[in-house]
């Protein structure tokens, strides 16, 4: 039987997090991050995962205020977590657009040393000028170059990681030889995006290079992952959709001389547990409507309609006006605005769906904005997760609790032991590095 | 009372320090090494440690000196949870980096350490470092680099203030997580870059983590006066200590001026001198530094530091010549000497770095701006 891989996502700035829950704690104090990481490590998860944001989201020219706002710096909080965990992988999202490879490679190699081999990098390819306004170079990257830059960025980072050999540091007090080769760390890179040379400061790290994760569902994104990533994370709601995606990305590996086990498919998923399936279903509905308030629903539609819909009743029917095509998007700095590239077609589909199921605005948003959720008693959830993995719809899941920071605790206490009993999830860590946990080569 | 800090660098500041019997040169890139150093510093009730960094490695062809280093901000964050009172000032290079990234990194270090973060800002003037980034023609005249670093700190500071302290309201009744009138674009536009803001990280616990600069010349003195809370200077005698602190406090009266000293500390003055001579011999050169190189006993050093304090310095950043030897001599030799003379704390009196330095928590420059 396939072994399941599990990761814990500290929920970020989107409406997954139910901040109004009485059990919701701080989303920014270090103790919250430590709590979730310790729970994940107690449950023997593969890794902890952090998303990234580089500009606060705006809606109609003002900062979006309905969801959690604000988050820490990825590298810094992961380095802190290395102090309060021993085995858990520590992965974070760092984009290849608003950074330079020399600096990012230094940070990841440092994190890998400081965690003794537990670092992972989720490479993303933001490109928009709105985010660019926070950076020296501004919004300079044409969208069609974003994967080129990402690929060359990663190639360059690999060259830097590889610029030191494992045995370059001798540190022999008696002979006085510290460094085997004075050229250790030397690099040179001249390509369409980067023109750099010199010496890298960080000696070879325990994993050689961090584990590479990649998110992205486009054809280009899948190809990029097949070429370079160790794991791809995605969102595919159904078993069938998951199996299609899984087969597609694993098939692409051969072209790069890679085996199917060298790229893990790890969809993001939420979960709602109850003592019984019925209780969990009821609770899941409550959670969904907490995640999608009436105001949240209206603003969600405004992103697609690209116009003010504040006069509409969220409990009433969908707006009878047509979306505005082109011009400045109402919503800035959020990925969803790029998920609906054809607003006219999206609106048409949503109207059909709302008519067929008799949905209000809020009902519709609950329906279309959800992500994969496992709902049920612990045994039901364990069974469902195992089915996805054994039937090749995934290699595991990146779990996103909807309450910070204690939301993973019930999963750790109730679901993980059932997976362990079935022999599909580890009871102890075998290795010490993230590569060990994921079963991928160094 | 004096303030006391230690500058952590590799195996110590002497290039041959890694060959000392108690040195751990094979552990310089491991977290345990740094954890041991900072817990020792906290045992000595020190105000803070700095952690050296640079964006380049030497290309001198030598194989007998420590080579390689880790990112200082990450080292600080990795070891901060092992301590409760000690402050951390990692080095950040302003020249090629993004103030947006470093602002949230230092703010996050302040969250990780519950209010004990600061940053020592450095300029990278070498063409070698610039080639690692490949975007700019170098050399760039120092006044321009200093102006850019000043802008960099200005942006970092504005981003720290871009959230008011009470911006997070979690108002269930209205469904609003933040009061967006308490989040502010910083809209900085300068010669070298422009940044919109606000930060993605809320205002850090200290409001403004302390910013430090090491300065030897007028241009950097002016940068320190414009941008820093703390300045490290390198007097070689009491007269220089007096003139430097007078000059800097003339530029800005509330600037904290610390004297840097490299220290070889042993039971006898002769033993310290012998140790330096032995290390110089191993390295093949007599060690010199921008700062005074002190060889002697903890008691002798205590006397000298107090004389320099009387000349106007607020505190000292000691650079241990060899680690852990000279750090332990500071925490277990120098500190008791200063305590006996009534010149150093016997227990921590504050839980934040600003508190230890006697700095109050600053008001937010944007508070009330939009109301």
């Amino acid at each position: 039987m396939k072994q399941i891989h599990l990761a814990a996502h500290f929920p970020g700035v989107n409406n997954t997090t139910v901040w109004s829950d009485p059990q919701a704690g701080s989303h920014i104090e270090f103790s919250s991050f430590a709590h979730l990481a310790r729970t994940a490590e107690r449950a023997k998860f593969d890794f902890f995962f952090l998303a990234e944001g580089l500009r606060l989201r705006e809606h109609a020219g003002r900062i979006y205020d309905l969801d959690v706002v604000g988050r820490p710096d990825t590298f810094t909080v992961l380095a802190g977590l290395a102090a309060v965990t021993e085995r858990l992988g520590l992965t974070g999202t760092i984009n290849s657009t608003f950074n330079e490879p020399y600096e990012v490679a230094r940070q990841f190699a440092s994190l890998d040393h400081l965690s003794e081999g537990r670092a992972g990098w989720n490479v993303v390819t933001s490109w928009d000028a709105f985010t660019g306004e926070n950076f020296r170079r501004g919004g300079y990257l044409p969208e069609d170059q974003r994967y080129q830059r990402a690929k060359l960025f990663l190639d360059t980072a690999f060259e830097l990681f590889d610029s030191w050999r494992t045995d370059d540091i001798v540190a022999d007090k008696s002979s006085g030889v510290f460094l085997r080769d004075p050229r250790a760390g030397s690099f040179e890179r001249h390509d369409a995006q980067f023109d750099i040379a010199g010496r890298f400061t960080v000696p070879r790290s325990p994993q050689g290079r961090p584990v590479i994760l990649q998110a992205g569902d486009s054809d280009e994104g899948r190809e990029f992952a097949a070429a370079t990533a160790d794991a791809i994370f995605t969102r595919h709601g159904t078993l069938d959709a998951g199996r299609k995606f899984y087969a597609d990305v694993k098939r692409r590996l051969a072209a790069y001389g890679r085996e199917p086990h060298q790229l893990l498919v790890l969809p993001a998923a939420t979960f709602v547990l109850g003592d019984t399936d019925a209780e969990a279903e009821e609770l899941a509905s409550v959670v969904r409507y907490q995640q999608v308030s009436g105001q949240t629903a209206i603003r969600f539609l405004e992103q697609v309609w690209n116009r003010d819909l504040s006069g509409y009743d969220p409990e009433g029917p969908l707006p009878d006006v047509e979306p505005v095509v082109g011009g400045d998007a109402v919503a800035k700095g959020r990925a969803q605005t790029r998920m609906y590239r054809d607003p006219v077609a999206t609106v048409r589909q949503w109207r059909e769906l709302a008519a067929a199921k008799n949905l209000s605005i809020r009902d519709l948003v609950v329906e279309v904005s959800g992500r994969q959720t496992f709902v049920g008693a612990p045994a039901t959830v364990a069974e469902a997760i195992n089915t996805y993995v054994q039937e090749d719809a995934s290699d595991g899941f990146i779990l996103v609790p909807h309450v910070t920071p204690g939301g993973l605790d019930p999963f750790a206490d109730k679901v993980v032991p059932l997976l362990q009993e079935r022999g599909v999830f580890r009871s102890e860590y075998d290795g010490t590095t993230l590569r060990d946990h994921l079963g991928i080569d160094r | 009372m004096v303030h006391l800090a230690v500058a952590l660098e590799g195996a110590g500041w002497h290039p041959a320090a890694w060959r000392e019997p108690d040195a751990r040169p094979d552990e310089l890139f491991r977290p345990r090494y740094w954890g041991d150093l900072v817990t020792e510093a906290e045992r000595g009730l020190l105000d803070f440690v700095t952690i050296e960094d640079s964006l380049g490695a030497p290309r001198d062809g030598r194989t007998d000196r420590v080579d390689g280093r880790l990112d200082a901000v990450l080292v600080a964050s990795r070891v901060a949870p092992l301590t409760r009172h000690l402050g951390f000032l990692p080095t950040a290079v302003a020249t090629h980096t993004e103030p947006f990234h470093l602002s949230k990194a230092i703010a996050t270090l302040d969250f990780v350490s519950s209010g004990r973060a600061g940053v020592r800002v450095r300029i990278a003037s070498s063409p070698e470092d610039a080639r690692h980034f490949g975007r700019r023609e170098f050399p760039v005249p120092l006044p321009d680099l200093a102006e850019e670093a000043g802008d960099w700190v200005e942006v970092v500071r504005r981003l720290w203030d871009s959230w008011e302290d009470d911006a997070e309201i979690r108002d269930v009744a209205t469904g609003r997580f933040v009061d967006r009138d308490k989040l502010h674009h910083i809209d900085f536009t300068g010669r070298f870059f422009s940044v919109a803001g606000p930060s993605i990280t809320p205002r850090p616990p200290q409001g403004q983590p302390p910013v430090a600069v090491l300065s030897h010349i007028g241009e950097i003195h002016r940068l320190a006066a414009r941008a820093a809370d703390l300045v490290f200077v390198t007097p070689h005698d009491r007269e220089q200590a007096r003139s430097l602190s007078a000059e800097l406090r003339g530029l800005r009266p509330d600037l904290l001026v610390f004297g840097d000293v490299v220290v070889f500390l042993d039971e006898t003055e002769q033993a310290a001198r012998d140790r330096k001579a032995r290390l110089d011999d191993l390295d093949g050169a007599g060690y010199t530094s921008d700062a005074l190189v002190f060889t002697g006993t903890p008691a002798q050093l205590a006397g000298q530091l107090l004389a320099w304090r009387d000349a106007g310095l607020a505190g000292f950043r000691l650079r241990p010549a060899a680690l852990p030897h000279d750090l332990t001599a500071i925490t277990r030799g120098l500190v008791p000497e200063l305590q006996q003379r009534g010149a150093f704390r016997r227990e921590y009196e504050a839980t934040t770095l600003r508190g230890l330095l006697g700095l109050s928590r600053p008001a937010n420059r944007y508070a009330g701006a939009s109301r």
Side-chain angles (χ1 to χ4, degrees):
Chain A
M1 282 204 288
K2 278 170 74 182
Q3 289 294 302
I4 297 172
H5 296 282
L6 291 174
H9 185 331
F10 192 96
V13 295
N14 52 54
N15 66 343
T16 302
T17 308
V18 181
W19 54 261
S20 58
D21 189 298
Q23 290 180 47
S26 172
H27 70 293
I28 190 70
E29 295 294 336
F30 182 64
S31 57
S32 286
F33 293 87
H35 181 112
L36 185 71
R38 284 179 172 135
T39 302
E41 182 159 274
R42 170 163 66 83
K44 316 299 176 196
F45 274 36
D46 294 68
F47 60 91
F48 174 96
F49 180 85
L50 270 182
E52 183 189 47
L54 296 176
R55 182 143 186 204
L56 296 186
R57 296 152 48 189
E58 291 185 9
H59 190 92
R62 303 196 66 197
I63 286 162
Y64 192 86
D65 58 355
L66 301 180
D67 299 339
V68 165
V69 180
R71 51 172 116 215
D73 177 65
T74 299
F75 284 117
T76 312
V77 83
L78 292 178
L81 290 174
V84 299
T85 56
E86 290 178 354
R87 299 290 187 96
L88 188 68
L90 300 167
T91 73
T93 303
I94 294 294
N95 85 68
S96 55
T97 302
F98 305 108
N99 286 294
E100 297 302 325
Y102 184 82
E103 194 180 4
V104 167
R106 255 186 119 237
Q107 289 167 309
F108 270 115
S110 296
L111 180 64
D112 206 42
H113 279 287
L114 292 167
S115 64
E116 312 214 86
R118 299 188 277 140
W121 175 10
N122 177 41
V123 188
V124 294
T125 58
S126 319
W127 51 271
D128 60 289
F130 175 71
T131 306
E133 286 174 12
N134 279 339
F135 297 95
R136 287 179 185 244
R137 298 172 79 183
Y140 61 94
L141 189 67
E143 188 183 355
D144 61 2
Q145 282 183 28
R146 65 192 182 122
Y147 277 107
Q148 183 203 48
R149 180 169 168 105
K151 182 174 185 310
L152 296 174
F153 193 107
L154 205 53
D155 288 349
T156 305
F158 285 175
E159 185 167 328
L160 293 165
F161 294 138
D162 292 346
S163 66
W164 288 71
R165 283 168 287 189
T166 312
D167 57 356
D168 275 333
I169 294 195
V170 180
D172 181 32
K173 289 183 189 178
S174 55
S175 68
V177 176
F178 185 85
L179 194 62
R180 186 175 57 83
D181 178 353
R183 290 163 306 174
S186 298
F187 67 92
E188 196 159 340
R189 185 87 202 170
H190 309 285
D191 61 39
Q193 293 282 343
F194 306 106
D195 180 16
I196 62 176
R199 271 197 80 202
F200 190 52
T201 66
V202 188
R204 185 97 173 147
S205 75
Q207 291 190 110
R209 54 175 80 153
V211 167
I212 303 297
L213 292 92
Q214 214 267 315
D217 199 29
S218 66
D219 193 61
E220 268 181 308
R222 293 181 192 203
E223 209 59 32
F224 178 54
T228 50
D230 300 305
I232 181 165
F233 85 96
T234 159
R235 44 197 284 176
H236 286 281
T238 66
L239 189 64
D240 275 351
R243 293 181 65 174
K244 273 192 197 126
F245 178 83
Y246 190 95
D248 178 71
V249 294
K250 298 261 178 175
R251 178 185 56 72
R252 292 172 191 250
L253 290 166
Y256 303 97
R258 303 178 72 199
E259 304 279 331
H261 73 271
Q262 289 178 295
L263 179 68
L264 298 176
V265 176
L266 301 175
T270 61
F271 59 90
V272 177
L273 298 173
D275 288 340
T276 63
D277 288 355
E279 187 192 306
E281 288 291 348
E282 207 170 297
L283 187 56
S285 174
V286 172
V287 169
R288 286 298 290 136
Y289 282 85
Q290 283 176 323
Q291 290 169 328
V292 182
S293 68
Q295 294 178 78
T296 300
I298 294 294
R299 290 205 201 160
F300 185 90
L301 288 200
E302 285 178 342
Q303 292 167 35
V304 175
W305 260 262
N306 196 21
R307 61 191 291 172
D308 178 12
L309 301 174
S310 56
Y312 287 86
D313 175 6
E315 310 299 340
L318 263 58
D320 44 15
V321 293
E322 291 309 305
V324 174
V325 177
D328 275 352
V330 166
K332 289 187 167 172
R334 55 187 305 170
Q336 270 144 296
T337 59
R338 296 197 286 271
M339 281 172 57
Y340 304 105
R341 290 197 177 251
D342 184 350
V344 175
T346 303
V347 166
R348 193 186 326 118
Q349 284 165 20
W350 286 358
R351 284 196 175 125
E352 286 165 11
L353 181 64
K357 293 192 172 181
N358 190 28
L359 305 176
S360 68
I361 287 175
R362 194 173 170 200
D363 297 333
L364 175 96
V365 174
V366 164
E367 182 103 1
V368 302
S369 71
R371 54 168 112 192
Q372 181 162 6
T373 304
F374 294 104
V375 178
T380 308
V381 168
E383 179 64 35
I385 287 175
N386 194 35
T387 300
Y388 269 84
V389 172
Q390 302 309 332
E391 298 195 7
D392 285 347
S394 81
D395 293 305
F397 289 93
I398 298 179
L399 296 174
V400 195
H402 62 266
V403 176
T404 306
L408 190 65
D409 294 32
F411 190 95
D413 294 333
K414 295 173 180 166
V415 180
V416 167
L418 299 176
L419 296 172
Q420 289 166 335
E421 275 172 29
R422 287 161 192 262
V424 293
F425 190 67
R426 70 173 70 83
S427 299
E428 288 302 332
Y429 289 107
D430 300 324
T432 59
T433 68
L434 177 54
R435 286 185 183 276
D436 292 340
H437 305 337
L438 295 173
I440 50 180
D441 308 330
R442 199 188 135 167
Chain B
M1 291 288 176
V2 294
H3 296 289
L4 212 52
V6 162
L8 298 178
E9 158 76 316
W13 287 75
H14 193 288
W18 68 273
R19 299 182 67 181
E20 284 286 271
D22 65 345
R24 292 153 64 182
D26 50 346
E27 289 191 27
L28 298 180
F29 307 100
R30 301 193 68 174
R32 190 176 60 183
Y33 174 75
W34 295 92
D36 288 351
L37 295 178
V38 301
T39 48
E40 182 61 34
E42 182 163 271
R43 185 189 161 125
L45 306 176
L46 304 189
D47 291 74
F48 61 87
V49 295
T50 61
I51 301 170
E52 296 300 307
D53 203 357
S54 75
L55 293 175
R59 297 188 84 156
D60 57 8
R62 288 187 74 142
T63 57
D64 64 337
R65 289 179 167 182
V66 166
D67 205 312
R69 61 169 76 248
L70 303 179
D71 181 277
V73 176
L74 296 191
V75 172
S77 193
R78 172 63 181 80
V79 296
L82 309 178
T83 57
R84 290 181 55 212
H85 294 279
L86 187 69
F88 292 91
L89 271 77
T91 296
V93 175
T95 308
H96 304 288
T97 60
E98 297 286 352
F100 190 86
H101 285 318
L102 267 300
S103 174
K104 65 186 160 71
I106 301 302
T108 300
L109 179 62
D110 209 36
F111 281 106
V112 170
S113 63
S114 302
R116 296 181 286 129
V119 61
R120 178 260 171 127
V121 176
R122 188 175 170 176
I123 286 168
S125 56
S126 88
E128 286 76 23
D129 287 10
R131 282 189 82 204
H132 293 162
F133 293 83
R135 296 195 310 244
R136 297 164 68 170
E137 291 296 321
F138 255 67
V140 169
L142 187 62
D144 288 351
L145 291 175
E147 186 186 338
E148 180 190 48
D151 284 0
W152 188 96
V153 175
E154 174 68 16
V155 167
V156 165
R157 288 186 179 282
R158 286 195 198 183
L159 288 168
W160 286 336
D161 277 351
S162 66
W163 290 58
E164 294 184 35
D165 291 314
D166 52 357
E168 184 183 316
I169 52 172
R170 297 194 183 223
D171 186 21
V172 177
T174 59
R176 295 175 305 146
F177 182 80
V178 290
D179 177 352
R180 54 191 177 187
D181 290 336
K182 294 183 176 180
L183 298 178
H184 304 276
H185 290 104
I186 67 164
D187 291 328
F188 177 89
T189 305
R191 259 179 80 198
F192 307 94
F193 45 80
S194 50
V195 175
S199 179
I200 60 158
T201 305
R203 194 167 192 240
Q206 294 180 99
Q208 293 276 322
V211 175
V213 171
L214 169 64
S215 182
H216 302 105
I217 57 170
E219 269 137 357
I220 309 300
H221 287 355
R222 286 188 290 280
L223 168 65
R226 174 188 169 193
D229 302 286
L230 244 101
V231 58
F232 305 128
V233 295
T234 52
H236 281 243
D237 56 40
R238 188 182 161 138
E239 173 50 28
Q240 284 180 6
R242 194 203 56 74
S243 63
L244 279 165
S245 54
E247 182 182 354
L248 281 153
R249 288 195 302 177
L251 292 171
R252 216 186 80 207
D254 61 343
L255 199 57
L256 288 168
V257 185
F258 275 46
D260 269 22
V261 184
V262 180
V263 296
F264 289 83
L265 294 172
D266 284 290
E267 302 267 315
T268 65
E269 192 178 336
Q270 192 58 46
R273 281 197 197 141
D274 289 349
R275 187 156 59 88
K276 177 174 183 297
R278 185 160 49 77
L279 288 175
D280 286 352
D281 210 37
L282 283 171
D283 188 53
Y287 177 70
T288 58
S289 169
D290 56 329
L292 177 75
V293 179
F294 177 91
T295 50
T297 67
Q300 289 172 326
L301 180 61
Q304 178 167 330
L305 298 185
L306 293 181
W308 286 17
R309 174 201 60 182
D310 296 342
L313 295 178
F316 301 92
R317 184 176 75 143
L318 303 178
R319 306 182 191 172
L323 291 168
H325 180 101
D326 292 301
L327 171 64
T328 315
I330 290 165
T331 54
R332 304 182 193 202
L334 175 68
V335 163
E337 283 287 345
L338 290 170
Q339 286 170 333
Q340 276 164 29
R341 302 178 199 204
F344 194 65
R345 69 171 64 86
R346 290 181 180 272
E347 59 184 37
Y348 280 111
E349 71 278 14
T351 56
T352 67
L353 176 57
R354 290 189 77 93
L356 292 179
L357 294 173
L359 300 170
S360 57
R361 191 172 189 278
N364 187 322
R365 77 193 67 193
Y366 298 111
S370 60
R371 273 158 288 147

